[in-house]
Amino acid sequence: MVGWAKERQGRRAGGGLAVAGGVVVVCLTGAACSGEGAAAQGAGGGAGDPVAVLHRAADRLVAAGSARTRTAMEMASGGTRVTIRGEGVYDFERRFGRLEVRLPQDPAGTSEHRPITELLAPGALFMKNRGAGVPDDKWVRVDTTSLSDGNLVTGGATDPFAAAEVLRGTRTATYVGRTEVEGIAVRHYRGTADLARAARGASEGNREALAAAAEGFATAEVPFDAYLDDEGRIRKVRHRFSFVNGHEEETVAVASTTLLRDFGAAVRVRLPEDRDIYAGKIASEPGEAGEAGEPGEQGVPGEAGAGGSGGSGGKN
């Protein structure tokens, strides 16, 4: 596989949960109306019927080109809650991004893991500093089309464009009112999206993944809060997912938040060469190991080995 690089300049703009091996592994050890009357008033892409506005939100990001992003993923079950945070850049036209993901601190307040570098690409997620026996100079590749959650949860950060395309499945929504996100005036919408419907309207790169998530989560219904600026671009979106842990049959609640700013920011992503992708054994839990590309022991999709970028070909 030939690595891909691109730079964008100056465009407009208790133990119920565990994090194992440097990637998010969730395991249970104990286990409205569309309301035209509520439509926002004013100029720009954020005004109009809430459902229609939210359906167009992903397209507004493509028109914006790129943005800086911050992410937070809160996972709760059995009285235990953990939060994984990320920060980076994303190119909405090419569907490529780079995030530095920080795992939760231990009870003493120190991090047990170095930040994980994640490269997001159509159909693939690449991770470095994955741990669990992976050499420091190697990447782990995940085939996101095979993940039962569509990579909305597995990487510890929801792909920003996938987060936007979930809104294509909006069935009901209301306009809550005007507020601010990081000093930017926004319109706040609250509603529910259907993942199966989102998959049907999604781009080719996300269609299969969102369809898998519709089948893999406990419910295909996704409550959300979305904050759009006056051009209809997402500044913040918070989704609430849930899935049933395979071992203990308990529901894990996930709240995934994506914030976007600095539209038109420069983005540079270079995908790993085949020789840089790890294809050996990966420990799913301490003392356990599995072949790369096989499901992990805790019912969470495993990591794929070498064999191409899963969608990066032709991005020159």
Side-chain angles (χ1 to χ4, degrees):
M1 175 193 72
V2 177
W4 176 83
K6 181 173 187 283
E7 185 161 359
R8 175 184 300 283
Q9 302 278 1
R11 256 197 84 155
R12 176 183 62 85
L17 294 172
V19 178
V23 66
V24 179
V25 174
V26 182
C27 57
L28 302 186
T29 56
C33 64
S34 63
E36 286 86 351
Q41 301 298 318
D49 169 58
V51 172
V53 167
L54 293 164
H55 284 172
R56 295 192 299 265
D59 296 328
R60 299 290 183 177
L61 294 182
V62 174
S66 62
R68 298 189 186 278
T69 182
R70 289 192 292 114
T71 66
M73 185 167 287
E74 304 168 20
M75 314 178 85
S77 182
T80 302
R81 183 182 300 272
V82 298
T83 302
I84 302 98
R85 301 187 186 280
E87 187 167 359
V89 292
Y90 195 89
D91 183 333
F92 293 101
E93 284 189 322
R94 301 292 291 269
R95 315 292 198 264
F96 284 85
R98 181 185 182 95
L99 294 174
E100 295 292 323
V101 176
R102 295 184 177 274
L103 302 179
Q105 295 180 334
D106 63 21
T110 59
S111 177
E112 297 180 350
H113 305 279
R114 290 178 298 169
I116 301 170
T117 299
E118 296 188 355
L119 304 181
L120 308 171
L125 166 67
F126 298 85
M127 295 179 291
K128 199 170 188 179
N129 298 334
R130 179 3 182 134
V134 179
D136 291 345
D137 62 342
K138 294 294 185 180
W139 293 82
V140 169
R141 178 185 179 278
V142 178
D143 179 1
T144 56
T145 63
S146 69
L147 298 178
S148 60
D149 71 304
N151 197 35
L152 295 175
V153 173
T154 293
T158 302
D159 179 303
F161 193 61
E165 292 218 283
V166 168
L167 299 182
R168 295 191 192 276
T170 299
R171 288 194 178 277
T172 62
T174 57
Y175 172 60
V176 178
R178 298 280 292 189
T179 185
E180 288 189 356
V181 172
E182 298 184 321
I184 302 298
V186 295
R187 294 178 172 91
H188 178 192
Y189 298 91
R190 180 173 293 144
T192 301
D194 181 87
L195 288 170
R197 182 176 181 178
R200 292 193 293 271
S203 63
E204 183 177 354
N206 283 326
R207 193 172 302 139
E208 189 174 353
L210 291 176
E215 297 292 333
F217 282 131
T219 173
E221 297 290 309
V222 178
F224 66 83
D225 284 86
Y227 302 80
L228 278 58
D229 64 20
D230 288 344
E231 295 187 48
R233 304 173 303 191
I234 295 170
R235 290 288 180 159
K236 177 181 177 180
V237 61
R238 181 178 175 89
H239 300 101
R240 290 172 290 282
F241 307 115
S242 63
F243 62 92
V244 178
N245 177 65
H247 283 348
E248 300 296 335
E249 297 296 325
E250 292 187 18
T251 299
V252 179
V254 180
S256 177
T257 303
T258 301
L259 291 104
L260 300 171
R261 58 185 174 84
D262 296 342
F263 289 102
V267 176
R268 183 173 179 82
V269 176
R270 184 175 183 84
L271 299 186
E273 303 285 348
D274 284 345
R275 64 177 177 271
D276 296 323
I277 300 175
Y278 184 67
K281 291 184 180 296
I282 298 174
S284 300
E285 290 286 341
E288 297 179 334
E291 292 290 347
E294 294 180 353
E297 293 296 320
Q298 301 300 326
V300 178
E303 291 68 35
S309 65
S312 64
K315 302 289 184 182
N316 296 314

